[in-house]
């Protein structure tokens, strides 16, 4: 009987830890999603202040040889 109680206690502790982790992850995601409109506005302002152009550079083959 004591082994059964120990097993149930261990299962309860594992369930509690998993519940806390899931709760933490959900609250972090919810917080990030609540900040999404603010971040979108900041990025849009930054984009238009830069002239509305995106400049992406990829290193050429010669640049790769110099790096490594």
């Amino acid at each position: 009987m004591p082994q059964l109680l120990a097993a149930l206690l261990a299962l309860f502790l594992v369930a509690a830890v998993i519940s806390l982790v899931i709760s933490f992850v959900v609250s972090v995601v919810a917080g990030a999603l609540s900040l999404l409109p603010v971040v979108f506005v900041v990025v849009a302002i930054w984009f238009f202040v830069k002239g509305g152009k995106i400049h992406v550079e990829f290193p050429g083959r010669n640049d790769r040889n110099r790096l490594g």
Side-chain angles (χ1 to χ4, degrees):
M1 192 69 168
Q3 291 175 342
L4 179 63
L5 289 176
L8 287 175
L9 182 64
L11 285 174
F12 177 76
L13 289 175
V14 168
V17 169
I18 291 173
S19 175
L20 286 172
V21 168
I22 290 173
S23 174
F24 177 74
V25 169
V26 168
S27 67
V28 167
V29 170
L33 288 176
S34 69
L35 288 176
L36 187 61
V38 175
V39 173
F40 179 75
V41 168
V42 169
V43 169
I45 291 171
W46 179 60
F47 173 76
F48 288 115
V49 165
K50 290 276 195 176
K53 296 178 184 174
I54 298 176
H55 182 72
V56 179
E57 279 189 44
F58 293 102
R61 293 196 181 272
N62 293 336
D63 295 334
R64 288 186 192 146
N65 291 337
R66 279 188 263 155
L67 292 175

